[in-house]
Amino acid sequence: KKAEHEEDLDSLHGKIDKAEASITTLTNDIATLEAELGEIATSQKEMDANRQEEHKDYEAAKTDYEQGIEGVQMAIKVLKDYYGQAFLQQPEVGTHSAAGGSAGGIIGLLEVAESDFSKLLAEVEADEKAAQTEYDQQTKANKVAKAEKETSLKYKTKELKETEKELEELKSDRDGEQSELDRWQKARRSGRTSLSRT
């Protein structure tokens, strides 16, 4: 009987050691997952703030470029309307002939400025679209990673609780088995040779 009790105790000690090692591993895994979830949340918060700032800058630049285009187009129209009359009248010699020539140069410069504003507007719109796409992709990746880590955290936490409960039961079984062995040894010393196991 003593050998049976000792064998049972050895088995329980092994199971207890295994459960304690599992608890340590699960506790570390849970801490790592919680830290990673915190990093994802911090990263997403920073991305959100940066994206809002980028979008605000885009809106301001877009407005500036659109107003620049509109202003240049208005100036070209006014000059063409004014100097177009002069070109149509074709004066023989007069002040409009010199002004008409310089008007062509001014209108040409304004058309170049309009083209530059249009190009800048197209570039800022392309940059905004690329930034938004990148933000959307990273946000989606963060959501997926967060969901995976939360699911893993949920199951590891559940497993930890179950293992802790199992450990308590194993310790209780070990204590009961140790009590049985102690009773058996005490009875053996006091002269009783048979003791029933419970």
Side-chain angles (χ1 to χ4, degrees):
K1 292 228 178 219
K2 178 181 176 187
E4 289 176 18
H5 286 295
E6 288 173 344
E7 185 179 314
D8 288 345
L9 278 172
D10 286 343
S11 174
L12 287 168
H13 281 296
K15 290 177 181 178
I16 288 170
D17 290 344
K18 183 178 177 186
E20 288 173 339
S22 291
I23 288 171
T24 299
T25 300
L26 289 167
T27 300
N28 290 337
D29 290 350
I30 288 169
T32 298
L33 286 167
E34 288 173 341
E36 289 171 349
L37 284 167
E39 289 170 9
I40 290 172
T42 300
S43 171
Q44 187 64 47
K45 186 176 179 179
E46 289 172 6
M47 283 177 37
D48 292 346
N50 289 340
R51 185 68 201 111
Q52 287 175 354
E53 190 63 33
E54 287 174 350
H55 185 71
K56 182 179 164 186
D57 293 345
Y58 158 75
E59 289 292 335
K62 179 183 176 199
T63 300
D64 289 346
Y65 295 143
E66 287 174 339
Q67 289 175 348
I69 291 169
E70 186 180 322
V72 170
Q73 287 173 340
M74 193 179 305
I76 291 171
K77 182 182 182 318
V78 167
L79 287 173
K80 282 186 176 180
D81 287 348
Y82 178 76
Y83 288 107
Q85 300 282 336
F87 290 131
L88 291 175
Q89 293 174 2
Q90 302 269 336
E92 292 177 19
V93 177
T95 57
H96 287 301
S97 63
S102 66
I106 291 172
I107 290 174
L109 286 174
L110 289 173
E111 287 172 341
V112 169
E114 177 186 17
S115 173
D116 289 346
F117 277 126
S118 295
K119 182 179 175 185
L120 290 169
L121 180 59
E123 287 174 2
V124 79
E125 286 176 341
D127 290 347
E128 170 66 8
K129 184 176 180 181
Q132 185 63 45
T133 299
E134 182 180 341
Y135 169 81
D136 291 343
Q137 290 172 343
Q138 187 59 50
T139 296
K140 184 177 178 180
N142 283 349
K143 285 180 182 178
V144 169
K146 180 181 176 193
E148 289 172 351
K149 290 181 188 308
E150 286 176 338
T151 300
S152 183
L153 180 63
K154 175 183 170 185
Y155 287 110
K156 286 190 183 287
T157 301
K158 180 181 176 188
E159 185 179 350
L160 176 63
K161 288 179 183 177
E162 290 170 354
T163 305
E164 287 173 337
K165 182 179 177 187
E166 178 186 355
L167 178 62
E168 290 305 312
E169 291 171 359
L170 288 169
K171 285 181 177 181
S172 176
D173 290 349
R174 177 199 61 196
D175 293 346
E177 193 64 40
Q178 185 64 51
S179 293
E180 283 290 318
L181 179 60
D182 292 346
R183 270 183 43 210
W184 186 84
Q185 289 175 338
K186 183 178 179 184
R188 180 91 179 183
R189 282 190 298 266
S190 66
R192 287 190 247 150
T193 56
S194 69
L195 180 66
S196 63
R197 286 186 88 195
T198 54

